[in-house]
């Protein structure tokens, strides 16, 4: 199945996100949420005179560009970079509407950045890393392209440290989105950063609250699978329901749940 999809053109991410670019451009949790506020907090200007502290910033897995737009306020130049061309068209449209002349575009994989070694002051990445085919290669590229003292700021869904809970979360994520790769444990991400000399200097622990119907609609889950997933949540054990804050269904069957999110700033030594 995976192989067939890879063969019919484009990466799984391109096949998932290309047709859905317009939906993501209007998605409330992408336009703004706690994770974007945390990215802004962790990238807040640190210079004494309040000048834009970043000359070159790159937002990887930019989607419709909402994190890149926020970074345009604290950076001289921002490159909004994504593997999916239709997403970049949304970035161009919205940045035009918002009047942001310092936002450029680049189509590339996070695992292969078209920037010189040591050239970037800031790399951001929000709600995207769990889709990257090779997360470690993406971290290698961030490490290579950041200048010494440059920052990597990432916000993404993470998995609980408990193995069974982590497996359940990744299983439902994959059934809902065939391009899902992995929600990793914070302990795993910390080790991968440490291995690359990226020191975590600040972080926020959050939750992303999701309405089930909206969550399955965004990725166009077939009705039968959506019903199976609905049962999976509603008939889960007490422990699972607590861990993912699965709410009681409303009259229309919709319900709220949440996944853990970690936002961090790591500095290259
Ligand atoms: C949920 S969207 C990102 C949302 C966005 N960062 C924001 O803040 O609104 C995930 C994006 O990751 C991109 N993506 C997936 N795999 C990628 C890869 N290997 N390299 C670059 N972008 C990738 C997809 O094309 C998609 O646009």
């Amino acid at each position: 199945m995976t192989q067939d999809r890879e063969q019919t053109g484009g990466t799984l991410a391109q096949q998932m996100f290309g047709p859905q670019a317009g939906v993501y451009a209007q998605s409330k949790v992408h336009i703004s949420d706690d994770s974007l506020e945390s990215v802004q907090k962790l990238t807040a200007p640190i210079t004494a005179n309040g000048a834009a502290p970043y000359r070159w910033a790159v937002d990887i897995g930019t989607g419709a560009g909402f994190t890149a737009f926020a970074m345009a306020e604290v950076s001289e130049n921002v490159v909004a970079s994504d593997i999916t061309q239709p997403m970049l068209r949304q970035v161009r449209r919205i940045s035009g509407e918002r009047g942001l002349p310092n936002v450029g575009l680049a189509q590339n994989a996070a695992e292969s950045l078209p920037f010189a070694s040591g050239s970037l002051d800031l790399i951001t990445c929000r709600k995207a890393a769990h889709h990257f085919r090779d997360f470690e290669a993406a971290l290698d590229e961030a490490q290579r392209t950041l200048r010494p003292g440059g920052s990597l700021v990432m916000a993404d869904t993470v998995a609980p440290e408990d193995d069974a809970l982590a497996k359940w979360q990744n299983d439902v994520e994959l059934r809902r989105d065939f391009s899902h790769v992995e929600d990793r444990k914070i302990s795993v991400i910390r080790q991968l950063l440490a291995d690359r000399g990226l020191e975590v200097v600040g972080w926020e622990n959050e939750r992303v609250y999701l309405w089930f119907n909206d969550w399955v609609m965004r990725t166009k889950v077939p009705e039968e699978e959506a019903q199976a997933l609905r049962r999976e949540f509603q008939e889960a054990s007490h422990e699972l329901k607590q861990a993912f804050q699965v709410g009681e269904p409303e009259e229309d069957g919709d319900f709220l749940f949440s996944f853990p999110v970690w936002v961090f700033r790591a500095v290259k030594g």
Side-chain angles (χ1 to χ4, degrees), residues 28-269:
K28 286 195 188 118
V29 292
H30 290 84
I31 291 170
S32 182
D33 71 350
D34 291 350
S35 74
L36 185 56
E37 282 177 25
S38 291
V39 169
Q40 289 175 297
K41 186 172 153 194
L42 289 167
T43 53
I46 43 176
T47 52
N49 62 7
Y54 310 109
R55 180 135 194 265
W56 282 102
V58 173
D59 184 45
I60 56 176
T62 198
F66 300 113
T67 306
F69 305 150
M71 293 305 100
E73 293 170 17
V74 290
S75 312
E76 285 175 35
N77 310 282
V78 181
V79 179
S81 130
D82 201 285
I83 200 169
T84 307
Q85 182 60 34
M87 282 293 192
L88 295 175
R89 282 200 285 276
Q90 296 293 336
V91 177
R92 182 180 298 129
R93 178 180 66 76
I94 301 169
S95 65
E97 288 167 6
R98 294 190 183 191
L100 298 171
N102 57 339
V103 176
L105 306 177
Q107 187 183 5
N108 58 267
E111 295 88 339
S112 173
L113 298 180
F115 309 108
S117 301
S119 62
L120 305 178
D121 302 296
L122 174 68
I123 296 176
T124 52
C125 181
R126 169 175 167 256
K127 295 183 190 282
H130 64 274
H131 297 287
F132 296 165
R133 274 287 117 210
D134 189 341
F135 179 61
E136 295 193 31
L139 289 183
D140 287 341
E141 278 295 81
Q143 202 281 343
R144 178 185 70 76
T145 55
L146 282 171
R147 66 165 172 78
S151 292
L152 170 66
V153 177
M154 270 196 174
D156 203 12
T157 312
V158 288
E161 293 295 320
D162 177 272
D163 283 341
L165 293 175
K167 184 176 176 314
W168 189 88
Q169 179 176 326
N170 276 294
D171 179 55
V172 294
E173 284 265 68
L174 183 59
R175 287 167 60 189
R176 175 259 175 182
D177 171 0
F178 60 73
S179 75
H180 176 79
V181 176
E182 188 178 0
D183 295 327
R184 291 165 191 84
K185 298 175 184 178
I186 294 174
S187 57
V188 170
I189 300 171
R190 277 187 174 277
Q191 188 59 54
L192 294 173
L193 293 168
D195 291 347
R196 290 160 177 79
L198 293 163
E199 187 192 352
V200 177
V201 296
W203 67 90
E204 302 281 333
N205 289 99
E206 295 172 0
R207 312 279 310 181
V208 57
Y209 293 90
L210 299 157
W211 283 102
F212 180 85
N213 287 350
D214 183 54
W215 184 64
V216 290
M217 180 277 292
R218 228 176 13 248
T219 52
K220 286 201 161 158
V221 180
E223 185 52 28
E224 206 177 311
E225 181 67 332
Q227 292 304 345
L229 278 168
R230 188 186 302 277
R231 281 196 299 278
E232 188 90 33
F233 276 84
Q234 285 299 329
E235 292 167 13
S237 67
H238 179 67
E239 188 199 3
L240 269 160
K241 280 190 171 169
Q242 263 199 330
F244 300 113
Q245 302 181 318
V246 181
E248 290 300 316
E250 311 262 298
E251 267 177 31
D252 62 357
D254 204 3
F255 60 90
L256 203 56
F257 67 96
S258 78
F259 285 146
V261 168
W262 193 45
V263 190
F264 67 84
R265 175 177 187 148
V267 173
K268 177 173 166 176

